[in-house]
Amino acid sequence: MAIEWGSETKGADVVNAFPMSIKKRTFLMTGVIGTGLPAATAEALASGDAAAIILMGKSQAEAQAVIDDVNHKHPKVKLIFISVDFNRLASVREAAEAIKKLDVPIDGFVGFPTVMAALWMKTEDGVESHFQCNYLSNFLLINLVVHLMPAGSRVVMVCSSIRPEAPPPAWDDPNFADGKTYHPLDAYALSMFANVQLIKCLAITGCGRSMGTFSVNAGTLFEEREDLPLLLQQAPKSVSQGIATILRALLDPDISGNCQILALPKIDFPAGEENGRALWTRSEQMVGQEFKRL
C-alpha cells in the first residue's frame, strides 16, 4: 500500500519506510548543536543503523548532548565530531581535510542554517554572517568533499519559504553596502535564496556523477515559534514532523516522482540559470577557488 505523506508524517515514519537507504551508510551534517532539527535528524539516522554519522559544528561541547544520546541509544553507530567555524573559510578547509582523512564515502550531506535574522555582523573573512555561515561555507565544504560522494548520494540544504513569484536576487553586494542597507530578514532571505540556487547548480553539474540535490523547508517548530519574526512563521510542527521533510529528501529513492515541488518560475532553471551561474562565479571569487563549472 502506498504511503500517504503529509504534514503529520514523522521522522520515524520515513526511517521505517526506507531502511536500505540508511543501513551501513555514512552521513555528514553541518550546523549541529545538541537540540532541535540537527539533533533529531542525527538520532533518526542512527536508529536506522547508519554506519557512521559525521557531525560538524563550532563546538563539541554544544553537540555533546546529541552525541551522548545517540551513543546511549545506538552504540553500534559510529559518531565522528569535526569542529568547524563557518565564520572562517580557513576552518572549513581544515575540516574538509579532516573529512578526507577518514577515507569513507559520504552517502548523504545535510546542511543546516546557523544564523537567523541576526544583527549586523561580518565574519573573520569580512562577509555578512548570514551569507557566509548559512551559504558560502556550505558551498565551499560541499565542493571540497563532493569527490567523496558516490553515485546516488544526496545533498540536502535546509532552507526556508520563498514566495513563488520572487525574482532572483543580485549577488553583487552580499554585504549590504557594508551594513548601510542591512536588514536581518533581507540578509536571511538572501542566504536562503543562495542555498536554493546552489542546489539547482549542483543538480546540473553533478561534479561528474549522478547525485540527488534538494532544498527543503522543514517548517516552524513549536519551540521556535515565539522567537521568529511574524514573516518567518508558518503552521507549527513538532521536531519529529520537521525532520520528516529532511529525511524524505535524503532517503526516498523515488522522491522525484512522488512529491509536490514548489515551482519558482523566476528562479527555476532554465529561467534562473543565468542567475545561478552568477552566484557560482561570485562564490568562487569569495572563497578564492574555482570548482566545476556549470
Side-chain angles (χ1 to χ4, degrees), residues 10-179:
K10 296 182 178 180
D13 300 326
V14 184
V15 169
N16 292 335
F18 309 111
M20 300 312 297
S21 295
I22 307 176
K23 193 174 182 65
K24 305 307 178 186
R25 296 190 177 187
T26 298
F27 300 90
L28 185 155
M29 297 168 45
T30 71
V32 175
I33 56 175
T35 59
L37 292 174
T41 303
E43 198 281 326
L45 292 171
S47 72
D49 196 25
I53 303 173
I54 303 170
L55 307 174
M56 302 187 70
K58 189 173 183 179
S59 165
Q60 183 166 341
E62 292 181 353
Q64 196 61 49
V66 65
I67 293 172
D68 292 343
D69 182 59
V70 172
N71 280 334
H72 176 71
K73 294 178 180 177
H74 314 285
K76 292 183 180 180
V77 177
K78 186 175 183 180
L79 290 186
I80 303 166
F81 186 86
I82 295 179
S83 296
V84 61
D85 183 357
F86 271 16
N87 283 284
R88 296 191 303 112
L89 295 176
S91 177
V92 176
R93 296 184 188 278
E94 292 168 2
E97 288 302 314
I99 294 169
K100 293 174 187 177
K101 290 178 181 178
L102 296 175
D103 194 27
V104 296
I106 298 172
D107 299 291
F109 180 110
V110 184
F112 290 93
T114 57
V115 182
M116 182 179 294
L119 297 176
W120 162 254
M121 185 176 70
K122 289 196 291 188
T123 67
E124 292 189 22
D125 300 292
V127 181
E128 191 280 319
S129 62
H130 290 84
F131 196 79
Q132 178 160 331
C133 294
N134 292 347
Y135 162 69
L136 190 64
S137 288
N138 277 302
F139 166 86
L140 176 60
L141 181 62
I142 290 170
N143 277 293
L144 290 176
V145 304
V146 73
H147 65 284
L148 302 175
M149 303 186 72
S153 56
R154 297 279 176 95
V155 175
V156 179
M157 293 301 300
V158 180
C159 298
S160 189
S161 294
I162 293 178
R163 299 189 313 275
E165 73 279 6
W171 308 112
D172 56 337
D173 184 23
N175 274 6
F176 297 90
D178 203 32

Side-chain angles (χ1 to χ4, degrees), residues 115-120 128 130 134 160-161 163 176 181-193 227-233:
V115 182
M116 182 179 294
L119 297 176
W120 162 254
E128 191 280 319
H130 290 84
N134 292 347
S160 189
S161 294
R163 299 189 313 275
F176 297 90
T181 61
Y182 178 80
H183 189 284
L185 293 182
D186 292 338
Y188 178 71
L190 189 68
S191 69
M192 294 299 100
F193 269 110
D227 298 328
L228 285 176
L230 289 174
L231 290 176
L232 293 182
Q233 292 187 15

Side-chain angles (χ1 to χ4, degrees), residues 179-240:
K180 296 181 179 65
T181 61
Y182 178 80
H183 189 284
L185 293 182
D186 292 338
Y188 178 71
L190 189 68
S191 69
M192 294 299 100
F193 269 110
N195 277 332
V196 171
Q197 288 291 55
L198 169 61
I199 287 300
K200 293 180 181 298
C201 291
L202 287 173
I204 285 184
T205 66
C207 296
R209 70 204 66 204
S210 172
M211 61 191 300
T213 64
F214 301 88
S215 56
V216 302
N217 176 13
T220 300
L221 307 186
F222 284 118
E223 67 266 27
E224 293 177 353
R225 189 171 175 83
E226 292 181 359
D227 298 328
L228 285 176
L230 289 174
L231 290 176
L232 293 182
Q233 292 187 15
Q234 300 167 292
K237 290 184 176 182
S238 67
V239 172
S240 181

Side-chain angles (χ1 to χ4, degrees), residues 3-11 13-14 240-242 244-245 248:
I3 300 173
E4 292 188 8
W5 305 108
S7 60
E8 300 299 316
T9 301
K10 296 182 178 180
D13 300 326
V14 184
S240 181
Q241 291 168 342
T245 303
R248 270 205 71 200

